[in-house]
Amino acid sequence: MKALLIPLRPPWIHAQYFEELDSTQSVAAGQIAAGGDLRGVALWAERQTAGRGRGARTWISRPGGLYVTAGLPELWTGDCRWLGWVPLIAAMACVRSARERWAIPAMLKWPNDVWADGRKLAGMLGETGPASSEGRWVLIGMGLNWINAAAEEGRAAGYDACAIGDYDENLDPDDRLGFLENWLAGVAVEMAKLAAAPEQRSEDLRREAGAMLLQRGEDVVLEHTEEGRIAGR
């Protein structure tokens, strides 16, 4: 597996670009388990043969999407109960990037998806390792439909799906790098805020996420938060 190294804006270092991987999330976790340091490094695959979704779900990952896993630039040294916010932070950063660049009506769908116009646009994953003397590594994963055949792939998986390309007929595959950098920048800023003041920032995130929520006004249940199981609307 030979990767092309693509420089990224600080605090990120570079992306390792692969033509094909089984799963960016699995490969990243494997590199760390083997003693690798992925702080500030993203793994980007053009195609995944065994892309991972939430739980035991798979993510169809044909060429033309943006499939990436990144190690946060800083190890997490705080209470691990706050790490339950990681997938939400990643999803919110994706929503903001899609709205700001293309005015796509992107919304959050609990617990870790981004939808637009009633169709799935992206999914997020968060993963962390055991504590060490320095802290915990944290991985964030994103599968984003770009110019891949999202509608067809969604039907195969049993849901409606869309792609960024549905909103911009002139979209270029090379534009994925700009989206990736904007998304990573948003994640890094939010994770720094959470690390600095977790209780206050979690309250802010709850309010901000509420404004982006697709099911706003409907019954919603959050599992595995720092406060346990939360039900509301």
Side-chain angles (χ1 to χ4, degrees), residues 8 12 14 24-25 28 32 38-44 67-73 86 125-127 137-142 180 183-184 187:
L8 297 173
W12 303 89
H14 61 247
T24 59
Q25 200 82 3
I32 292 173
L38 288 187
R39 285 176 289 182
V41 175
L43 273 64
W44 175 2
Y67 317 117
V68 62
T69 295
L72 291 184
V86 170
L125 286 177
E127 186 173 351
W137 53 262
V138 179
L139 296 176
I140 51 169
M142 177 174 67
L180 174 61
W183 176 67
L184 290 173
V187 169

mmCIF file of all heavy atoms in Angstrom, residues 8 12 14 24-25 28 32 38-44 67-73 86 125-127 137-142 180 183-184 187:
data_model
loop_
_atom_site.group_PDB
_atom_site.id
_atom_site.type_symbol
_atom_site.label_atom_id
_atom_site.label_comp_id
_atom_site.label_asym_id
_atom_site.label_seq_id
_atom_site.Cartn_x
_atom_site.Cartn_y
_atom_site.Cartn_z
ATOM 1 N N LEU A 8 -1.273 19.329 4.302
ATOM 2 C CA LEU A 8 -2.486 19.937 4.814
ATOM 3 C C LEU A 8 -2.136 21.189 5.616
ATOM 4 O O LEU A 8 -1.005 21.333 6.080
ATOM 5 C CB LEU A 8 -3.249 18.955 5.710
ATOM 6 C CG LEU A 8 -3.778 17.684 5.055
ATOM 7 C CD1 LEU A 8 -4.346 16.755 6.111
ATOM 8 C CD2 LEU A 8 -4.822 17.992 3.989
ATOM 9 N N TRP A 12 -2.875 20.430 11.025
ATOM 10 C CA TRP A 12 -2.773 19.132 10.389
ATOM 11 C C TRP A 12 -1.467 19.048 9.599
ATOM 12 O O TRP A 12 -0.899 20.080 9.212
ATOM 13 C CB TRP A 12 -3.986 18.896 9.490
ATOM 14 C CG TRP A 12 -5.259 19.010 10.267
ATOM 15 C CD1 TRP A 12 -5.992 20.142 10.483
ATOM 16 C CD2 TRP A 12 -5.906 17.978 11.004
ATOM 17 N NE1 TRP A 12 -7.078 19.871 11.285
ATOM 18 C CE2 TRP A 12 -7.046 18.539 11.627
ATOM 19 C CE3 TRP A 12 -5.640 16.616 11.189
ATOM 20 C CZ2 TRP A 12 -7.915 17.798 12.417
ATOM 21 C CZ3 TRP A 12 -6.512 15.875 11.970
ATOM 22 C CH2 TRP A 12 -7.630 16.462 12.575
ATOM 23 N N HIS A 14 -0.403 16.121 7.010
ATOM 24 C CA HIS A 14 -0.601 15.674 5.630
ATOM 25 C C HIS A 14 -1.677 14.600 5.575
ATOM 26 O O HIS A 14 -2.067 14.025 6.596
ATOM 27 C CB HIS A 14 0.703 15.128 5.017
ATOM 28 C CG HIS A 14 1.274 13.947 5.724
ATOM 29 N ND1 HIS A 14 2.470 13.998 6.415
ATOM 30 C CD2 HIS A 14 0.822 12.663 5.877
ATOM 31 C CE1 HIS A 14 2.714 12.811 6.949
ATOM 32 N NE2 HIS A 14 1.733 11.986 6.638
ATOM 33 N N THR A 24 -10.477 3.012 5.800
ATOM 34 C CA THR A 24 -9.540 3.991 6.345
ATOM 35 C C THR A 24 -9.522 3.920 7.869
ATOM 36 O O THR A 24 -8.458 4.053 8.485
ATOM 37 C CB THR A 24 -9.910 5.419 5.907
ATOM 38 O OG1 THR A 24 -11.243 5.737 6.344
ATOM 39 C CG2 THR A 24 -9.821 5.575 4.398
ATOM 40 N N GLN A 25 -10.696 3.678 8.467
ATOM 41 C CA GLN A 25 -10.775 3.623 9.923
ATOM 42 C C GLN A 25 -9.989 2.430 10.463
ATOM 43 O O GLN A 25 -9.223 2.551 11.424
ATOM 44 C CB GLN A 25 -12.238 3.529 10.361
ATOM 45 C CG GLN A 25 -12.502 3.940 11.799
ATOM 46 C CD GLN A 25 -12.621 5.442 11.992
ATOM 47 O OE1 GLN A 25 -12.561 6.211 11.028
ATOM 48 N NE2 GLN A 25 -12.787 5.879 13.223
ATOM 49 N N ALA A 28 -6.169 2.973 9.890
ATOM 50 C CA ALA A 28 -5.640 3.967 10.829
ATOM 51 C C ALA A 28 -5.465 3.354 12.218
ATOM 52 O O ALA A 28 -4.420 3.531 12.857
ATOM 53 C CB ALA A 28 -6.568 5.173 10.902
ATOM 54 N N ILE A 32 -1.851 2.720 14.343
ATOM 55 C CA ILE A 32 -1.609 3.158 15.719
ATOM 56 C C ILE A 32 -1.252 1.969 16.598
ATOM 57 O O ILE A 32 -0.322 2.042 17.419
ATOM 58 C CB ILE A 32 -2.855 3.895 16.267
ATOM 59 C CG1 ILE A 32 -3.028 5.229 15.529
ATOM 60 C CG2 ILE A 32 -2.714 4.140 17.769
ATOM 61 C CD1 ILE A 32 -4.305 5.952 15.865
ATOM 62 N N LEU A 38 -0.352 9.017 14.331
ATOM 63 C CA LEU A 38 -1.230 9.640 13.342
ATOM 64 C C LEU A 38 -1.749 10.997 13.798
ATOM 65 O O LEU A 38 -2.729 11.498 13.243
ATOM 66 C CB LEU A 38 -2.411 8.713 13.038
ATOM 67 C CG LEU A 38 -2.107 7.459 12.224
ATOM 68 C CD1 LEU A 38 -3.391 6.738 11.851
ATOM 69 C CD2 LEU A 38 -1.310 7.781 10.965
ATOM 70 N N ARG A 39 -1.119 11.596 14.773
ATOM 71 C CA ARG A 39 -1.550 12.922 15.194
ATOM 72 C C ARG A 39 -1.393 13.910 14.043
ATOM 73 O O ARG A 39 -0.291 14.122 13.537
ATOM 74 C CB ARG A 39 -0.749 13.391 16.409
ATOM 75 C CG ARG A 39 -1.159 12.698 17.705
ATOM 76 C CD ARG A 39 -0.293 13.113 18.865
ATOM 77 N NE ARG A 39 1.047 12.567 18.752
ATOM 78 C CZ ARG A 39 2.003 12.747 19.668
ATOM 79 N NH1 ARG A 39 1.764 13.479 20.740
ATOM 80 N NH2 ARG A 39 3.191 12.203 19.490
ATOM 81 N N GLY A 40 -2.508 14.495 13.619
ATOM 82 C CA GLY A 40 -2.468 15.456 12.528
ATOM 83 C C GLY A 40 -2.378 14.836 11.146
ATOM 84 O O GLY A 40 -2.154 15.540 10.163
ATOM 85 N N VAL A 41 -2.596 13.535 11.045
ATOM 86 C CA VAL A 41 -2.478 12.816 9.778
ATOM 87 C C VAL A 41 -3.838 12.252 9.381
ATOM 88 O O VAL A 41 -4.563 11.710 10.217
ATOM 89 C CB VAL A 41 -1.449 11.680 9.881
ATOM 90 C CG1 VAL A 41 -1.410 10.848 8.591
ATOM 91 C CG2 VAL A 41 -0.067 12.242 10.177
ATOM 92 N N ALA A 42 -4.173 12.381 8.096
ATOM 93 C CA ALA A 42 -5.422 11.827 7.575
ATOM 94 C C ALA A 42 -5.117 10.714 6.585
ATOM 95 O O ALA A 42 -4.160 10.798 5.814
ATOM 96 C CB ALA A 42 -6.234 12.920 6.891
ATOM 97 N N LEU A 43 -5.918 9.669 6.619
ATOM 98 C CA LEU A 43 -5.867 8.606 5.619
ATOM 99 C C LEU A 43 -7.064 8.777 4.699
ATOM 100 O O LEU A 43 -8.205 8.819 5.164
ATOM 101 C CB LEU A 43 -5.910 7.223 6.279
ATOM 102 C CG LEU A 43 -4.569 6.622 6.706
ATOM 103 C CD1 LEU A 43 -3.919 7.474 7.789
ATOM 104 C CD2 LEU A 43 -4.759 5.194 7.205
ATOM 105 N N TRP A 44 -6.805 8.878 3.397
ATOM 106 C CA TRP A 44 -7.833 9.173 2.403
ATOM 107 C C TRP A 44 -7.780 8.079 1.348
ATOM 108 O O TRP A 44 -6.732 7.827 0.764
ATOM 109 C CB TRP A 44 -7.539 10.540 1.818
ATOM 110 C CG TRP A 44 -8.405 11.014 0.687
ATOM 111 C CD1 TRP A 44 -9.476 10.385 0.124
ATOM 112 C CD2 TRP A 44 -8.260 12.257 -0.010
ATOM 113 N NE1 TRP A 44 -10.005 11.143 -0.881
ATOM 114 C CE2 TRP A 44 -9.282 12.297 -0.979
ATOM 115 C CE3 TRP A 44 -7.365 13.328 0.090
ATOM 116 C CZ2 TRP A 44 -9.432 13.378 -1.858
ATOM 117 C CZ3 TRP A 44 -7.512 14.400 -0.771
ATOM 118 C CH2 TRP A 44 -8.537 14.426 -1.721
ATOM 119 N N TYR A 67 -13.605 9.571 1.382
ATOM 120 C CA TYR A 67 -13.565 8.594 2.464
ATOM 121 C C TYR A 67 -12.254 8.800 3.230
ATOM 122 O O TYR A 67 -11.161 8.571 2.697
ATOM 123 C CB TYR A 67 -13.637 7.175 1.906
ATOM 124 C CG TYR A 67 -14.661 7.025 0.800
ATOM 125 C CD1 TYR A 67 -14.279 6.684 -0.495
ATOM 126 C CD2 TYR A 67 -16.014 7.266 1.055
ATOM 127 C CE1 TYR A 67 -15.220 6.570 -1.510
ATOM 128 C CE2 TYR A 67 -16.963 7.161 0.039
ATOM 129 C CZ TYR A 67 -16.559 6.806 -1.245
ATOM 130 O OH TYR A 67 -17.491 6.711 -2.245
ATOM 131 N N VAL A 68 -12.371 9.261 4.460
ATOM 132 C CA VAL A 68 -11.184 9.704 5.183
ATOM 133 C C VAL A 68 -11.298 9.403 6.672
ATOM 134 O O VAL A 68 -12.393 9.416 7.238
ATOM 135 C CB VAL A 68 -10.963 11.225 4.959
ATOM 136 C CG1 VAL A 68 -12.122 12.031 5.486
ATOM 137 C CG2 VAL A 68 -9.661 11.705 5.553
ATOM 138 N N THR A 69 -10.162 9.114 7.276
ATOM 139 C CA THR A 69 -10.039 9.003 8.726
ATOM 140 C C THR A 69 -8.838 9.826 9.140
ATOM 141 O O THR A 69 -7.778 9.745 8.517
ATOM 142 C CB THR A 69 -9.832 7.543 9.172
ATOM 143 O OG1 THR A 69 -11.005 6.787 8.851
ATOM 144 C CG2 THR A 69 -9.576 7.458 10.675
ATOM 145 N N ALA A 70 -8.999 10.636 10.192
ATOM 146 C CA ALA A 70 -7.919 11.521 10.630
ATOM 147 C C ALA A 70 -7.668 11.365 12.120
ATOM 148 O O ALA A 70 -8.611 11.220 12.905
ATOM 149 C CB ALA A 70 -8.252 12.976 10.304
ATOM 150 N N GLY A 71 -6.406 11.411 12.498
ATOM 151 C CA GLY A 71 -6.031 11.421 13.904
ATOM 152 C C GLY A 71 -5.969 12.859 14.391
ATOM 153 O O GLY A 71 -5.312 13.704 13.768
ATOM 154 N N LEU A 72 -6.682 13.169 15.473
ATOM 155 C CA LEU A 72 -6.661 14.546 15.967
ATOM 156 C C LEU A 72 -5.228 14.996 16.241
ATOM 157 O O LEU A 72 -4.391 14.201 16.683
ATOM 158 C CB LEU A 72 -7.492 14.661 17.238
ATOM 159 C CG LEU A 72 -9.004 14.490 17.070
ATOM 160 C CD1 LEU A 72 -9.700 14.727 18.412
ATOM 161 C CD2 LEU A 72 -9.563 15.431 16.013
ATOM 162 N N PRO A 73 -4.935 16.275 15.989
ATOM 163 C CA PRO A 73 -3.557 16.749 16.153
ATOM 164 C C PRO A 73 -3.014 16.622 17.573
ATOM 165 O O PRO A 73 -1.806 16.517 17.766
ATOM 166 C CB PRO A 73 -3.639 18.219 15.732
ATOM 167 C CG PRO A 73 -4.828 18.285 14.833
ATOM 168 C CD PRO A 73 -5.797 17.305 15.388
ATOM 169 N N VAL A 86 -17.457 13.603 19.952
ATOM 170 C CA VAL A 86 -16.597 13.644 18.763
ATOM 171 C C VAL A 86 -17.374 13.442 17.457
ATOM 172 O O VAL A 86 -17.228 14.244 16.515
ATOM 173 C CB VAL A 86 -15.443 12.635 18.892
ATOM 174 C CG1 VAL A 86 -14.692 12.480 17.574
ATOM 175 C CG2 VAL A 86 -14.478 13.080 19.987
ATOM 176 N N LEU A 125 -17.743 8.796 12.006
ATOM 177 C CA LEU A 125 -17.353 7.836 13.027
ATOM 178 C C LEU A 125 -16.359 8.496 13.975
ATOM 179 O O LEU A 125 -15.573 9.358 13.564
ATOM 180 C CB LEU A 125 -16.680 6.602 12.414
ATOM 181 C CG LEU A 125 -17.553 5.582 11.688
ATOM 182 C CD1 LEU A 125 -16.655 4.488 11.094
ATOM 183 C CD2 LEU A 125 -18.570 4.966 12.625
ATOM 184 N N GLY A 126 -16.381 8.093 15.224
ATOM 185 C CA GLY A 126 -15.376 8.506 16.197
ATOM 186 C C GLY A 126 -14.817 7.275 16.878
ATOM 187 O O GLY A 126 -15.545 6.308 17.120
ATOM 188 N N GLU A 127 -13.541 7.283 17.160
ATOM 189 C CA GLU A 127 -12.904 6.137 17.799
ATOM 190 C C GLU A 127 -11.736 6.631 18.649
ATOM 191 O O GLU A 127 -11.024 7.554 18.242
ATOM 192 C CB GLU A 127 -12.410 5.155 16.735
ATOM 193 C CG GLU A 127 -11.863 3.847 17.258
ATOM 194 C CD GLU A 127 -11.542 2.868 16.140
ATOM 195 O OE1 GLU A 127 -11.909 3.137 14.971
ATOM 196 O OE2 GLU A 127 -10.911 1.833 16.439
ATOM 197 N N TRP A 137 -5.314 8.723 21.918
ATOM 198 C CA TRP A 137 -5.476 9.131 20.531
ATOM 199 C C TRP A 137 -6.961 9.089 20.178
ATOM 200 O O TRP A 137 -7.735 8.316 20.737
ATOM 201 C CB TRP A 137 -4.670 8.254 19.580
ATOM 202 C CG TRP A 137 -4.883 6.765 19.680
ATOM 203 C CD1 TRP A 137 -4.108 5.866 20.352
ATOM 204 C CD2 TRP A 137 -5.938 5.994 19.073
ATOM 205 N NE1 TRP A 137 -4.598 4.594 20.212
ATOM 206 C CE2 TRP A 137 -5.728 4.637 19.435
ATOM 207 C CE3 TRP A 137 -7.031 6.302 18.278
ATOM 208 C CZ2 TRP A 137 -6.570 3.602 19.017
ATOM 209 C CZ3 TRP A 137 -7.878 5.273 17.859
ATOM 210 C CH2 TRP A 137 -7.633 3.961 18.223
ATOM 211 N N VAL A 138 -7.351 9.956 19.261
ATOM 212 C CA VAL A 138 -8.738 10.039 18.821
ATOM 213 C C VAL A 138 -8.760 10.064 17.295
ATOM 214 O O VAL A 138 -8.041 10.844 16.674
ATOM 215 C CB VAL A 138 -9.446 11.296 19.369
ATOM 216 C CG1 VAL A 138 -10.886 11.353 18.868
ATOM 217 C CG2 VAL A 138 -9.406 11.322 20.890
ATOM 218 N N LEU A 139 -9.580 9.202 16.709
ATOM 219 C CA LEU A 139 -9.758 9.162 15.264
ATOM 220 C C LEU A 139 -11.157 9.651 14.911
ATOM 221 O O LEU A 139 -12.130 9.333 15.592
ATOM 222 C CB LEU A 139 -9.601 7.730 14.733
ATOM 223 C CG LEU A 139 -8.240 7.063 14.880
ATOM 224 C CD1 LEU A 139 -8.312 5.624 14.390
ATOM 225 C CD2 LEU A 139 -7.163 7.832 14.121
ATOM 226 N N ILE A 140 -11.248 10.435 13.848
ATOM 227 C CA ILE A 140 -12.542 10.835 13.294
ATOM 228 C C ILE A 140 -12.608 10.334 11.860
ATOM 229 O O ILE A 140 -11.641 10.445 11.104
ATOM 230 C CB ILE A 140 -12.739 12.362 13.338
ATOM 231 C CG1 ILE A 140 -11.523 13.093 12.727
ATOM 232 C CG2 ILE A 140 -13.004 12.834 14.746
ATOM 233 C CD1 ILE A 140 -11.763 14.569 12.491
ATOM 234 N N GLY A 141 -13.732 9.771 11.501
ATOM 235 C CA GLY A 141 -13.906 9.256 10.150
ATOM 236 C C GLY A 141 -15.086 9.925 9.471
ATOM 237 O O GLY A 141 -16.082 10.256 10.110
ATOM 238 N N MET A 142 -14.964 10.116 8.157
ATOM 239 C CA MET A 142 -16.060 10.683 7.374
ATOM 240 C C MET A 142 -16.169 9.959 6.048
ATOM 241 O O MET A 142 -15.167 9.750 5.352
ATOM 242 C CB MET A 142 -15.846 12.177 7.113
ATOM 243 C CG MET A 142 -16.941 12.798 6.236
ATOM 244 S SD MET A 142 -16.816 14.604 6.045
ATOM 245 C CE MET A 142 -15.294 14.746 5.086
ATOM 246 N N LEU A 180 -11.991 18.842 2.467
ATOM 247 C CA LEU A 180 -11.325 18.112 3.542
ATOM 248 C C LEU A 180 -10.621 19.066 4.493
ATOM 249 O O LEU A 180 -10.747 18.938 5.730
ATOM 250 C CB LEU A 180 -10.328 17.118 2.948
ATOM 251 C CG LEU A 180 -9.427 16.369 3.941
ATOM 252 C CD1 LEU A 180 -10.251 15.527 4.901
ATOM 253 C CD2 LEU A 180 -8.423 15.496 3.185
ATOM 254 N N TRP A 183 -13.158 20.998 6.586
ATOM 255 C CA TRP A 183 -13.757 20.108 7.592
ATOM 256 C C TRP A 183 -12.781 19.859 8.737
ATOM 257 O O TRP A 183 -13.141 19.982 9.910
ATOM 258 C CB TRP A 183 -14.162 18.800 6.928
ATOM 259 C CG TRP A 183 -14.693 17.758 7.865
ATOM 260 C CD1 TRP A 183 -15.865 17.816 8.570
ATOM 261 C CD2 TRP A 183 -14.076 16.512 8.191
ATOM 262 N NE1 TRP A 183 -16.016 16.652 9.323
ATOM 263 C CE2 TRP A 183 -14.943 15.851 9.107
ATOM 264 C CE3 TRP A 183 -12.905 15.880 7.801
ATOM 265 C CZ2 TRP A 183 -14.643 14.587 9.630
ATOM 266 C CZ3 TRP A 183 -12.610 14.621 8.314
ATOM 267 C CH2 TRP A 183 -13.483 14.002 9.231
ATOM 268 N N LEU A 184 -11.542 19.537 8.414
ATOM 269 C CA LEU A 184 -10.548 19.284 9.445
ATOM 270 C C LEU A 184 -10.302 20.522 10.304
ATOM 271 O O LEU A 184 -10.138 20.416 11.529
ATOM 272 C CB LEU A 184 -9.235 18.819 8.814
ATOM 273 C CG LEU A 184 -9.235 17.431 8.186
ATOM 274 C CD1 LEU A 184 -7.923 17.182 7.448
ATOM 275 C CD2 LEU A 184 -9.466 16.346 9.243
ATOM 276 N N VAL A 187 -13.158 20.826 12.764
ATOM 277 C CA VAL A 187 -13.051 19.820 13.823
ATOM 278 C C VAL A 187 -11.984 20.210 14.841
ATOM 279 O O VAL A 187 -12.199 20.123 16.055
ATOM 280 C CB VAL A 187 -12.734 18.437 13.220
ATOM 281 C CG1 VAL A 187 -12.354 17.447 14.312
ATOM 282 C CG2 VAL A 187 -13.925 17.912 12.432
#
